[in-house]
Amino acid sequence: AVSQINLAYLYELRLRAEKPIMVNYKGVYRYLGAYGLTEYSQRAIVCTRDDLAETIYKAGDYSVYSVEEQLKQGFLTAKGGVRIGLAGEYVFDNGKPLTIRRFTSLCIRIPHEIYGCAKEIYDRCMSDKIHNLLIASPPGFGKTTILRDLGRMIADKTGKNILICDERGEISAGNVGKCCDIVKYADKITAFEAGVRALRPDIVITDELSLRDCPALEKAMASGVQV
């Protein structure tokens, strides 16, 4: 069914147990029928719980253990940087999330390469010299796509060494340029500490910041690295 759609405009797949499959296509949610998009729920493919489980196992190369740490955080990243958000029953051990079981829905976000989308940001903020930069927006507005393009642009124009701390494996899913070193699936504190010390970057690019990550950023900036 997905092969009947122009993937350049497919942003999300929404799979919910025993409900019609929906897609975000050109920013509008529609149903997915056997032959592509449809406006009618009764013509849509109905997702089963087996479909959910099969999708998760396939995304993890049929090894739940290989994505165990990601599952604890409520997502997993499949090939090509496709991020899958998970809903279901959380299992806790000593107050910490252990895994998710009995999945009820998946939000599959489809990444896109958009060359040149960061040009205006580069021209305004980086053309004289590389500055520290924070990009903020609601979810789904292209922050990661812009970060990837910005990193590629900085690498191509300046030749500086760039460290990409890619906790969720999304930034590095596409072409990140010729001067980039990548640390994947490590938390920010670990990635910044090990990366700045061992790889000597001029610039660090990362995604999905939280308040607990701020000390790692401050430490990197204090050592002369732009973030």
Side-chain angles (χ1 to χ4, degrees):
V2 172
S3 69
Q4 307 300 314
I5 299 174
N6 185 341
L7 298 183
Y9 301 112
L10 177 62
Y11 304 144
E12 283 182 357
L13 285 160
R14 293 275 185 167
L15 278 62
R16 299 179 173 101
E18 314 308 331
K19 294 182 180 179
I21 295 176
M22 301 189 73
V23 300
N24 183 334
Y25 189 77
K26 294 185 177 181
V28 177
Y29 282 100
R30 299 169 70 180
Y31 295 105
L32 181 67
Y35 303 102
L37 300 175
T38 177
E39 303 295 335
Y40 306 103
S41 61
Q42 59 269 32
R43 295 182 183 175
I45 300 168
V46 175
C47 179
T48 67
R49 291 184 181 272
D50 287 342
D51 291 332
L52 296 177
E54 176 69 13
T55 301
I56 292 166
Y57 291 139
K58 187 171 183 179
D61 283 333
Y62 296 96
S63 172
V64 174
Y65 297 106
S66 67
V67 293
E68 191 173 19
E69 287 303 314
Q70 295 183 63
L71 290 177
K72 292 178 183 179
Q73 300 178 59
F75 78 96
L76 63 88
T77 304
K79 290 179 180 177
V82 175
R83 192 209 293 183
I84 303 177
L86 310 168
E89 295 181 9
Y90 272 80
V91 179
F92 287 84
D93 181 29
N94 292 325
K96 295 182 179 180
L98 184 64
T99 189
I100 302 177
R101 65 182 183 183
R102 294 175 185 161
F103 301 102
T104 55
S105 61
L106 307 177
C107 172
I108 305 175
R109 295 174 61 179
I110 314 298
H112 295 278
E113 290 270 27
I114 304 178
Y115 284 82
C117 65
K119 183 180 184 304
E120 185 170 351
I121 292 177
Y122 181 89
D123 291 344
R124 288 182 180 224
C125 305
M126 306 289 176
S127 57
D128 57 339
K129 67 174 184 177
I130 305 301
H131 295 273
N132 295 309
L133 179 70
L134 177 66
I135 299 175
S137 86
F141 276 72
K143 295 184 295 296
T144 303
T145 304
I146 287 173
L147 274 176
R148 186 187 303 118
D149 191 57
L150 186 61
R152 180 170 54 230
M153 203 169 289
I154 293 170
D156 291 344
K157 290 179 180 293
T158 70
K160 291 182 178 293
N161 294 312
I162 299 173
L163 171 63
I164 295 180
C165 296
D166 198 2
E167 188 170 359
R168 301 197 173 189
E170 292 182 286
I171 305 175
S172 58
N175 175 16
V176 293
K178 59 191 177 185
C179 307
C180 293
D181 305 305
I182 300 162
V183 176
K184 294 174 73 171
Y185 305 130
D187 62 82
K188 304 296 191 303
I189 296 172
T190 302
F192 271 65
E193 186 78 21
V196 170
R197 185 191 303 122
L199 295 169
R200 203 188 63 74
D202 301 303
I203 302 156
V204 173
I205 292 177
T206 193
D207 204 356
E208 305 281 356
L209 290 178
S210 66
L211 286 175
R212 69 174 181 271
D213 301 324
C214 291
L217 269 69
E218 291 174 345
K219 190 173 181 180
M221 288 188 286
S223 65
V225 176
Q226 305 302 115
V227 182

